[in-house]
């Protein structure tokens, strides 16, 4: 594809790295409704400014010039005038939203990260990567970084809380890292495989329970014994398997908060006991749908200050050239790598 003609307020990036996330695997299998195939996948990406038309600062007012490394908020065209945007103040449910790498067709232009160039339309929210933070750290968590941050934010956790994360993919790992920075008193994770749990411990998780080598009964005994028989204060579901939900609720203390963020696609139904799991437990159950720009900006600002505590670049399993994108998808699906990068 030829380089596009730049509209006023637009930016052309040279792609440094884009990512493969679980959503891309679902996209590949056609499991997301309303996607205008063919698309250029890659929603979270890092690029270098090649050229811009009249853009001198990023979304936060930081000066921006040719050669600077940036990331950008993949959601665009939020309308700011619908009921969701104006009244509910939940722009993440705005029906006008478009997402780079997901809801733009390849016919619309270079609007996805699995390409040598990315065209940032006027109004796309760009974030210049702060000094000290590397492209690998930003892309290492990828979209999971911001989703994990949003889930912790949504939980309203308090310092000292026992926080349990279900799922050891990029969302779970990122959520655990941010829960640790937010002052979790005890940080636990259920997931698999062991290589991911090892990474979780590097990111500050105190105890991990390998799904492949423990039973639900054993995990429950352990979590209850750590918490005086009460259960975890906050649980973040980042597993994406519906069976995680009843298990999670059984590990939640009375009055605790359960955030479901791992079910971005429909993983099916699961039986719950409304009396035991929700009502008598006085549980607070929340969903977190996607992210907003403020999550991205706050997550990266925080990361820039804690680069050592958040070695997100270690989540990157492997980088693939564009021609091997199919292999990257297969490796992510088979859990052979935690985070695969596409480096055109
Ligand atoms: Zn709207
Ligand atoms: Zn994603």
């Amino acid at each position: 594809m030829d380089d596009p003609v730049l509209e006023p307020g637009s930016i052309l990036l040279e792609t440094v790295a884009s990512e493969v996330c679980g959503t891309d695997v679902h996209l590949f299998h056609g499991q997301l409704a309303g996607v205008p195939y063919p698309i250029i996948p890659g929603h979270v990406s890092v690029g270098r400014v090649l050229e811009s038309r009249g853009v001198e600062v990023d979304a936060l007012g930081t000066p921006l010039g040719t050669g600077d490394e940036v990331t950008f908020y993949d959601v665009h065209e939020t309308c700011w005038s619908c009921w969701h945007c104006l009244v509910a103040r939940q722009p993440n449910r705005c029906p006008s939203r478009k997402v780079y790498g997901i809801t733009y067709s390849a016919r619309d232009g270079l609007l996805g990260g699995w390409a040598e160039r990315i065209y940032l339309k006027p109004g796309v929210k760009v974030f210049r990567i702060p000094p000290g933070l590397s492209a690998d750290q930003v892309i290492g968590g990828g979209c999971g970084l911001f989703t994990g941050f949003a889930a912790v934010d949504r939980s309203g956790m308090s310092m000292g809380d026992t926080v349990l994360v279900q799922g050891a993919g990029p969302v779970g790992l990122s959520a655990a890292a941010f829960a640790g920075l937010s002052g979790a008193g005890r940080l636990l994770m259920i997931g698999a495989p062991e290589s991911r749990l090892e990474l979780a411990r590097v990111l500050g998780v105190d105890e991990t329970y390998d799904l492949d080598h423990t039973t639900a009964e054993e995990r429950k005994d352990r979590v209850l014994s750590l918490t005086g028989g009460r259960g975890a204060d906050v649980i973040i579901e980042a597993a994406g398997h519906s069976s995680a939900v009843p298990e999670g609720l059984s590990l939640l203390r009375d009055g605790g908060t359960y955030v479901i963020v791992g079910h971005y696609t429909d993983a099916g139904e699961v039986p719950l006991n409304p009396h035991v799991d929700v009502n008598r437990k006085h549980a607070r159950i929340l969903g977190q749908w996607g992210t907003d720009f403020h999550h991205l900006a706050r997550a990266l600002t925080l990361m820039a200050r804690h680069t050592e505590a958040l070695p997100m670049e270690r989540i990157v399993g492997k980088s693939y050239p564009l021609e091997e994108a199919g292999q990257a998808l297969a490796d992510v699906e088979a859990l052979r790598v935690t985070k695969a990068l596409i480096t055109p």
Side-chain angles (χ1 to χ4, degrees), residues 7 56 60 77 107 195 277 326 343:
E7 304 161 84
E56 285 165 8
L60 300 187
E77 297 184 29
R107 286 181 275 265
S195 56
D277 296 327
T343 46

Side-chain angles (χ1 to χ4, degrees), residues 29-265:
H29 292 300
Q31 288 163 333
L32 233 68
V35 175
Y37 296 101
I39 61 168
I40 302 175
H43 40 284
V44 171
S45 311
V46 171
R48 214 170 280 119
V49 175
L50 274 180
E51 205 185 331
S52 83
R53 243 188 105 183
V55 183
E56 285 165 8
V57 293
D58 76 358
L60 300 187
T62 307
L64 194 63
T66 305
D68 285 340
E69 277 189 345
V70 300
T71 188
F72 61 92
Y73 180 50
D74 56 350
V75 177
H76 189 46
E77 297 184 29
T78 302
C79 79
W80 303 111
S81 57
C82 72
W83 184 87
H84 296 280
C85 286
L86 283 181
V87 181
R89 290 185 293 172
Q90 286 171 344
N92 59 336
R93 297 301 302 139
C94 172
S96 304
R97 283 166 45 121
K98 297 268 194 191
V99 188
Y100 271 68
I102 299 179
T103 70
Y104 281 118
S105 163
R107 286 181 275 265
D108 297 329
L110 294 166
L111 308 177
W114 297 12
E116 290 171 4
R117 304 273 187 272
I118 308 171
Y119 179 64
L120 301 185
K121 294 166 151 254
V124 169
K125 300 289 178 278
V126 181
F127 186 93
R128 183 176 146 187
I129 296 176
L133 206 55
S134 70
D136 274 1
Q137 277 171 303
V138 174
I139 203 74
C143 66
L145 189 72
F146 311 130
T147 309
F149 181 94
V152 173
D153 204 41
R154 177 94 161 127
S155 77
M157 64 165 281
S158 299
M159 289 187 280
D161 275 354
T162 293
V163 178
L164 168 69
V165 177
Q166 295 176 284
V171 175
L173 291 168
S174 302
F178 286 120
L181 277 185
S182 304
R186 195 183 282 111
L187 200 46
L188 313 172
M189 178 179 282
I190 298 173
E194 171 54 28
S195 56
R196 292 186 176 193
L197 299 178
E198 198 184 311
L199 204 48
R201 295 189 291 272
V202 170
L203 292 169
V205 174
D206 301 310
E207 271 194 28
T208 56
Y209 314 109
D210 190 331
L211 263 179
D212 299 331
H213 297 105
T214 56
T215 63
E217 205 53 43
E218 287 166 345
R219 296 191 286 273
K220 186 170 181 182
D221 285 350
R222 184 59 190 156
V223 172
L224 291 185
S225 80
L226 282 172
T227 54
R230 291 180 295 271
D233 301 297
V234 170
I235 300 184
I236 293 171
E237 181 283 318
H241 289 277
S242 50
S243 64
V245 174
E247 177 176 3
L249 288 168
S250 78
L251 302 175
L252 185 70
R253 74 159 163 86
D254 288 356
T257 299
Y258 191 69
V259 181
I260 297 178
V261 71
H263 283 71
Y264 193 77
T265 49

